[in-house]
Amino acid sequence: MDIQNLLVIGTGTMGAGIIEVAAVHGIAVTAVEVQETQRRNAQERITRSIHKGIERGKIKDASAESILDRILWSGDLDAAAPAADFVIEAISERTELKLDLFRRLDELCRPETILSSNTSSVSLTLIAGATQRPGQVVGMHFFNPVPVMAPVEIVRGLQTSDDTMATTKTLAERMGKRAFGVNDSPGFAVNRILMPLLNEAFFTLQEGVADAETIDALMKLGCNHPMGPLELADFIGLDICLSILQVLFRETGDPKFRPCTLLVRMVNAGRLGRKSGHGFYSY
Ligand SMILES: NC(=O)c1ccc[n+]([C@@H]2O[C@H](COP(=O)([O-])OP(=O)(O)OC[C@H]3O[C@@H](n4cnc5c(N)ncnc54)[C@H](O)[C@@H]3O)[C@@H](O)[C@H]2O)c1
């Protein structure tokens, strides 16, 4: 299937990055967001990033105007969905919200349209079950920041068809990414490994073993990680980390995934990391 019209829903941290890479790689995108301020922030971020990319020679052979013209901004899903060949959902990591949205998309989109989710942890098999087209539901798990990070986990739900996997891999590659097929399982391949590591860093801080700067410096210098775990958690968003750990804990029942209470308290206090200005560090 040739993808002409991409629909991206949610223009936060991830949605904005996905819209940007699609437009830069010549794909027409419609961006749907429920919050006006988030939509404006995404528009500003993408415009800045594209101008910077052109100045630095990372984006070649295209003007900023021609790239930005490929993006249509909308607040109206009902109007946007019927034209979409392929949907990437990038809304908040809450299972009920995603299931409601996929039910709606299933009604609004054409029967051949593929519905994908950028979820970090919600089961693709569960999401597919909210639709009448489980063969055309797939995970497309990008990494943050999307314009910089190369891989995408293409997640195969129990009923995802081979055609859907192949079309999704081709789309990821058209967006300049490296596509890796993985099977649906809590946290897929990366987050089931990464989240327990971050969670252990939260416990290490909570138990007073060392302060945040020391934990991060030791992990960077001692394990050759480019970012320390607390710095990385702030970058991902502490609410996102908590949601992923809750899904891993609930779906596996394994206590190794129980979210650290320090993380829960920080999210309750609205300290969500970089995006709120405060997390383990201040920004
Ligand atoms: N942050 C990361 O590092 C990261 C990495 C990979 C995947 N993800 C996943 O990507 C998804 C988005 O994460 P994020 O960090 O961009 O979150 P975010 O909070 O920055 O953005 C989510 C956006 O979705 C919007 N939204 C919520 N409900 C909506 C709806 N029904 N219709 C349209 N817009 C809606 C919100 O207003 C918000 O702008 C989540 O599923 C998350 O798990 C996040």
Side-chain angles (χ1 to χ4, degrees):
M1 185 198 220
D2 185 26
I3 308 300
Q4 301 288 347
N5 288 304
L6 182 66
L7 171 60
V8 177
I9 308 173
T11 68
T13 311
M14 296 303 288
I18 295 167
I19 294 160
E20 180 182 331
V21 290
V24 165
H25 288 86
I27 301 167
V29 199
T30 303
V32 172
E33 164 64 53
V34 283
Q35 284 186 55
E36 180 61 33
T37 48
Q38 285 285 79
R39 194 177 339 146
R40 268 203 307 273
N41 288 344
Q43 266 171 305
E44 283 166 18
R45 249 182 64 198
I46 293 171
T47 305
R48 253 195 329 268
S49 174
I50 288 173
H51 280 289
K52 214 190 278 172
I54 291 173
E55 267 164 44
R56 292 181 179 169
K58 287 186 179 156
I59 301 174
K60 296 187 184 84
D61 305 325
S63 67
E65 250 180 22
S66 66
I67 296 171
L68 292 167
D69 275 353
R70 290 192 195 111
I71 309 171
L72 183 70
W73 297 89
S74 167
D76 186 354
L77 182 65
D78 293 21
D85 298 317
F86 195 105
V87 178
I88 304 178
E89 168 276 305
I91 70 168
S92 321
E93 186 72 347
R94 286 179 39 208
T95 306
E96 332 75 62
L97 276 187
K98 291 194 191 281
L99 296 181
D100 279 350
L101 180 59
F102 273 76
R103 263 180 225 115
R104 249 181 100 195
L105 285 169
D106 193 34
E107 284 167 10
L108 293 170
C109 292
R110 299 193 314 273
E112 66 273 23
T113 302
I114 293 177
L115 309 180
S116 79
S117 173
N118 182 48
T119 179
S120 306
S121 60
V122 180
S123 161
L124 262 305
T125 307
L126 179 70
I127 293 177
T131 75
Q132 302 300 314
R133 62 179 89 193
Q136 286 155 251
V137 177
V138 64
M140 218 180 171
H141 183 231
F142 289 85
F143 291 79
N144 186 13
V146 180
V148 176
M149 303 297 275
V152 183
E153 283 178 294
I154 310 293
V155 186
R156 186 194 277 277
L158 198 66
Q159 301 183 78
T160 308
S161 72
D162 290 346
D163 276 357
T164 299
M165 288 298 285
T167 305
T168 309
K169 278 186 183 173
T170 304
L171 177 65
E173 283 159 9
R174 260 178 82 195
M175 292 169 81
K177 300 297 174 198
R178 281 197 61 190
F180 295 89
V182 299
N183 288 321
D184 187 24
S185 168
F188 317 132
V190 171
N191 277 326
R192 71 179 285 167
I193 300 170
L194 176 63
M195 286 300 150
L197 180 115
L198 302 189
N199 205 31
E200 206 52 41
F202 310 149
F203 279 114
T204 308
L205 181 67
Q206 176 172 274
E207 290 168 20
V209 179
D211 62 20
E213 287 81 1
T214 305
I215 294 169
D216 278 347
L218 281 168
M219 291 302 289
K220 282 195 276 193
L221 297 171
C223 298
N224 219 8
H225 288 189
M227 289 172 95
L230 300 172
E231 195 189 352
L232 178 58
D234 271 359
F235 187 71
I236 293 170
L238 301 188
D239 54 334
I240 298 281
C241 293
L242 178 59
S243 300
I244 299 171
L245 282 163
Q246 284 167 334
V247 169
L248 284 164
F249 185 41
R250 192 174 59 236
E251 291 201 5
T252 62
D254 191 329
K256 76 179 171 196
F257 294 119
R258 79 201 184 285
C260 175
T261 46
L262 174 62
L263 175 68
V264 177
R265 279 174 31 230
M266 289 182 71
V267 172
N268 287 344
R271 293 198 156 210
L272 307 182
R274 265 178 193 269
K275 64 181 160 190
S276 71
H278 288 284
F280 293 106
Y281 299 95
S282 292
Y283 300 92

PDB file of all heavy atoms in Angstrom, residues 158-175:
ATOM      1  N   LEU A 158      -1.117  -9.911  18.263  1.00  0.00           N
ATOM      2  CA  LEU A 158      -1.426 -11.315  17.974  1.00  0.00           C
ATOM      3  C   LEU A 158      -2.025 -11.496  16.585  1.00  0.00           C
ATOM      4  O   LEU A 158      -1.775 -12.493  15.909  1.00  0.00           O
ATOM      5  CB  LEU A 158      -2.393 -11.826  19.051  1.00  0.00           C
ATOM      6  CG  LEU A 158      -2.516 -13.310  19.189  1.00  0.00           C
ATOM      7  CD1 LEU A 158      -1.206 -13.908  19.675  1.00  0.00           C
ATOM      8  CD2 LEU A 158      -3.648 -13.652  20.167  1.00  0.00           C
ATOM      9  N   GLN A 159      -2.835 -10.493  16.143  1.00  0.00           N
ATOM     10  CA  GLN A 159      -3.542 -10.654  14.864  1.00  0.00           C
ATOM     11  C   GLN A 159      -3.006  -9.758  13.745  1.00  0.00           C
ATOM     12  O   GLN A 159      -3.598  -9.730  12.659  1.00  0.00           O
ATOM     13  CB  GLN A 159      -5.031 -10.379  15.076  1.00  0.00           C
ATOM     14  CG  GLN A 159      -5.664 -11.317  16.100  1.00  0.00           C
ATOM     15  CD  GLN A 159      -7.145 -11.046  16.211  1.00  0.00           C
ATOM     16  OE1 GLN A 159      -7.922 -11.469  15.354  1.00  0.00           O
ATOM     17  NE2 GLN A 159      -7.552 -10.343  17.258  1.00  0.00           N
ATOM     18  N   THR A 160      -1.923  -9.026  14.001  1.00  0.00           N
ATOM     19  CA  THR A 160      -1.391  -8.122  12.958  1.00  0.00           C
ATOM     20  C   THR A 160      -0.964  -8.933  11.733  1.00  0.00           C
ATOM     21  O   THR A 160      -0.254  -9.939  11.867  1.00  0.00           O
ATOM     22  CB  THR A 160      -0.174  -7.335  13.489  1.00  0.00           C
ATOM     23  OG1 THR A 160      -0.535  -6.712  14.712  1.00  0.00           O
ATOM     24  CG2 THR A 160       0.286  -6.277  12.502  1.00  0.00           C
ATOM     25  N   SER A 161      -1.382  -8.472  10.542  1.00  0.00           N
ATOM     26  CA  SER A 161      -1.075  -9.253   9.331  1.00  0.00           C
ATOM     27  C   SER A 161       0.348  -8.980   8.838  1.00  0.00           C
ATOM     28  O   SER A 161       0.958  -7.954   9.177  1.00  0.00           O
ATOM     29  CB  SER A 161      -2.066  -8.896   8.220  1.00  0.00           C
ATOM     30  OG  SER A 161      -1.768  -7.606   7.734  1.00  0.00           O
ATOM     31  N   ASP A 162       0.861  -9.882   8.008  1.00  0.00           N
ATOM     32  CA  ASP A 162       2.182  -9.692   7.394  1.00  0.00           C
ATOM     33  C   ASP A 162       2.200  -8.438   6.524  1.00  0.00           C
ATOM     34  O   ASP A 162       3.183  -7.699   6.508  1.00  0.00           O
ATOM     35  CB  ASP A 162       2.552 -10.907   6.527  1.00  0.00           C
ATOM     36  CG  ASP A 162       2.841 -12.137   7.392  1.00  0.00           C
ATOM     37  OD1 ASP A 162       3.007 -11.971   8.617  1.00  0.00           O
ATOM     38  OD2 ASP A 162       2.884 -13.249   6.836  1.00  0.00           O
ATOM     39  N   ASP A 163       1.083  -8.191   5.805  1.00  0.00           N
ATOM     40  CA  ASP A 163       1.017  -7.000   4.946  1.00  0.00           C
ATOM     41  C   ASP A 163       1.145  -5.730   5.768  1.00  0.00           C
ATOM     42  O   ASP A 163       1.825  -4.782   5.386  1.00  0.00           O
ATOM     43  CB  ASP A 163      -0.342  -6.945   4.205  1.00  0.00           C
ATOM     44  CG  ASP A 163      -0.317  -7.792   2.944  1.00  0.00           C
ATOM     45  OD1 ASP A 163       0.757  -8.360   2.645  1.00  0.00           O
ATOM     46  OD2 ASP A 163      -1.374  -7.872   2.285  1.00  0.00           O
ATOM     47  N   THR A 164       0.459  -5.703   6.910  1.00  0.00           N
ATOM     48  CA  THR A 164       0.517  -4.513   7.787  1.00  0.00           C
ATOM     49  C   THR A 164       1.937  -4.314   8.291  1.00  0.00           C
ATOM     50  O   THR A 164       2.449  -3.191   8.305  1.00  0.00           O
ATOM     51  CB  THR A 164      -0.470  -4.675   8.971  1.00  0.00           C
ATOM     52  OG1 THR A 164      -1.782  -4.783   8.435  1.00  0.00           O
ATOM     53  CG2 THR A 164      -0.400  -3.506   9.936  1.00  0.00           C
ATOM     54  N   MET A 165       2.599  -5.402   8.695  1.00  0.00           N
ATOM     55  CA  MET A 165       3.992  -5.298   9.172  1.00  0.00           C
ATOM     56  C   MET A 165       4.875  -4.725   8.057  1.00  0.00           C
ATOM     57  O   MET A 165       5.680  -3.822   8.291  1.00  0.00           O
ATOM     58  CB  MET A 165       4.537  -6.660   9.596  1.00  0.00           C
ATOM     59  CG  MET A 165       3.976  -7.212  10.896  1.00  0.00           C
ATOM     60  SD  MET A 165       4.320  -6.198  12.351  1.00  0.00           S
ATOM     61  CE  MET A 165       6.056  -6.545  12.659  1.00  0.00           C
ATOM     62  N   ALA A 166       4.692  -5.247   6.836  1.00  0.00           N
ATOM     63  CA  ALA A 166       5.560  -4.825   5.720  1.00  0.00           C
ATOM     64  C   ALA A 166       5.317  -3.352   5.375  1.00  0.00           C
ATOM     65  O   ALA A 166       6.271  -2.583   5.188  1.00  0.00           O
ATOM     66  CB  ALA A 166       5.300  -5.713   4.505  1.00  0.00           C
ATOM     67  N   THR A 167       4.038  -2.932   5.305  1.00  0.00           N
ATOM     68  CA  THR A 167       3.729  -1.527   4.973  1.00  0.00           C
ATOM     69  C   THR A 167       4.289  -0.602   6.047  1.00  0.00           C
ATOM     70  O   THR A 167       4.821   0.471   5.757  1.00  0.00           O
ATOM     71  CB  THR A 167       2.190  -1.336   4.874  1.00  0.00           C
ATOM     72  OG1 THR A 167       1.684  -2.266   3.934  1.00  0.00           O
ATOM     73  CG2 THR A 167       1.812   0.068   4.466  1.00  0.00           C
ATOM     74  N   THR A 168       4.185  -1.020   7.306  1.00  0.00           N
ATOM     75  CA  THR A 168       4.640  -0.164   8.409  1.00  0.00           C
ATOM     76  C   THR A 168       6.161  -0.035   8.400  1.00  0.00           C
ATOM     77  O   THR A 168       6.705   1.051   8.606  1.00  0.00           O
ATOM     78  CB  THR A 168       4.130  -0.742   9.755  1.00  0.00           C
ATOM     79  OG1 THR A 168       2.726  -0.972   9.635  1.00  0.00           O
ATOM     80  CG2 THR A 168       4.394   0.202  10.908  1.00  0.00           C
ATOM     81  N   LYS A 169       6.843  -1.132   8.121  1.00  0.00           N
ATOM     82  CA  LYS A 169       8.317  -1.074   8.023  1.00  0.00           C
ATOM     83  C   LYS A 169       8.731  -0.145   6.888  1.00  0.00           C
ATOM     84  O   LYS A 169       9.647   0.662   7.033  1.00  0.00           O
ATOM     85  CB  LYS A 169       8.893  -2.466   7.748  1.00  0.00           C
ATOM     86  CG  LYS A 169       9.019  -3.286   9.013  1.00  0.00           C
ATOM     87  CD  LYS A 169       9.720  -4.606   8.723  1.00  0.00           C
ATOM     88  CE  LYS A 169       9.781  -5.442   9.984  1.00  0.00           C
ATOM     89  NZ  LYS A 169      10.280  -6.777   9.805  1.00  0.00           N
ATOM     90  N   THR A 170       8.045  -0.258   5.740  1.00  0.00           N
ATOM     91  CA  THR A 170       8.374   0.607   4.593  1.00  0.00           C
ATOM     92  C   THR A 170       8.162   2.077   4.953  1.00  0.00           C
ATOM     93  O   THR A 170       8.980   2.935   4.627  1.00  0.00           O
ATOM     94  CB  THR A 170       7.494   0.220   3.373  1.00  0.00           C
ATOM     95  OG1 THR A 170       7.695  -1.167   3.130  1.00  0.00           O
ATOM     96  CG2 THR A 170       7.836   1.013   2.140  1.00  0.00           C
ATOM     97  N   LEU A 171       7.068   2.369   5.662  1.00  0.00           N
ATOM     98  CA  LEU A 171       6.800   3.759   6.055  1.00  0.00           C
ATOM     99  C   LEU A 171       7.900   4.269   6.994  1.00  0.00           C
ATOM    100  O   LEU A 171       8.414   5.376   6.811  1.00  0.00           O
ATOM    101  CB  LEU A 171       5.423   3.864   6.743  1.00  0.00           C
ATOM    102  CG  LEU A 171       5.080   5.253   7.267  1.00  0.00           C
ATOM    103  CD1 LEU A 171       4.937   6.273   6.122  1.00  0.00           C
ATOM    104  CD2 LEU A 171       3.786   5.225   8.096  1.00  0.00           C
ATOM    105  N   ALA A 172       8.289   3.453   7.980  1.00  0.00           N
ATOM    106  CA  ALA A 172       9.341   3.875   8.922  1.00  0.00           C
ATOM    107  C   ALA A 172      10.629   4.170   8.149  1.00  0.00           C
ATOM    108  O   ALA A 172      11.312   5.163   8.423  1.00  0.00           O
ATOM    109  CB  ALA A 172       9.565   2.798   9.979  1.00  0.00           C
ATOM    110  N   GLU A 173      10.933   3.330   7.160  1.00  0.00           N
ATOM    111  CA  GLU A 173      12.159   3.536   6.380  1.00  0.00           C
ATOM    112  C   GLU A 173      12.057   4.794   5.509  1.00  0.00           C
ATOM    113  O   GLU A 173      13.028   5.539   5.386  1.00  0.00           O
ATOM    114  CB  GLU A 173      12.464   2.289   5.537  1.00  0.00           C
ATOM    115  CG  GLU A 173      13.062   1.194   6.438  1.00  0.00           C
ATOM    116  CD  GLU A 173      12.949  -0.223   5.876  1.00  0.00           C
ATOM    117  OE1 GLU A 173      12.551  -0.389   4.708  1.00  0.00           O
ATOM    118  OE2 GLU A 173      13.249  -1.154   6.632  1.00  0.00           O
ATOM    119  N   ARG A 174      10.853   5.051   4.972  1.00  0.00           N
ATOM    120  CA  ARG A 174      10.665   6.313   4.212  1.00  0.00           C
ATOM    121  C   ARG A 174      10.886   7.515   5.112  1.00  0.00           C
ATOM    122  O   ARG A 174      11.259   8.589   4.656  1.00  0.00           O
ATOM    123  CB  ARG A 174       9.231   6.378   3.685  1.00  0.00           C
ATOM    124  CG  ARG A 174       9.099   5.991   2.244  1.00  0.00           C
ATOM    125  CD  ARG A 174       7.638   6.035   1.823  1.00  0.00           C
ATOM    126  NE  ARG A 174       7.150   7.349   1.468  1.00  0.00           N
ATOM    127  CZ  ARG A 174       5.857   7.658   1.351  1.00  0.00           C
ATOM    128  NH1 ARG A 174       4.925   6.744   1.567  1.00  0.00           N
ATOM    129  NH2 ARG A 174       5.480   8.879   1.017  1.00  0.00           N
ATOM    130  N   MET A 175      10.629   7.362   6.409  1.00  0.00           N
ATOM    131  CA  MET A 175      10.827   8.460   7.361  1.00  0.00           C
ATOM    132  C   MET A 175      12.278   8.509   7.854  1.00  0.00           C
ATOM    133  O   MET A 175      12.598   9.212   8.794  1.00  0.00           O
ATOM    134  CB  MET A 175       9.865   8.286   8.549  1.00  0.00           C
ATOM    135  CG  MET A 175       8.406   8.491   8.159  1.00  0.00           C
ATOM    136  SD  MET A 175       7.239   7.974   9.445  1.00  0.00           S
ATOM    137  CE  MET A 175       7.266   9.367  10.539  1.00  0.00           C
TER     138      MET A 175
END
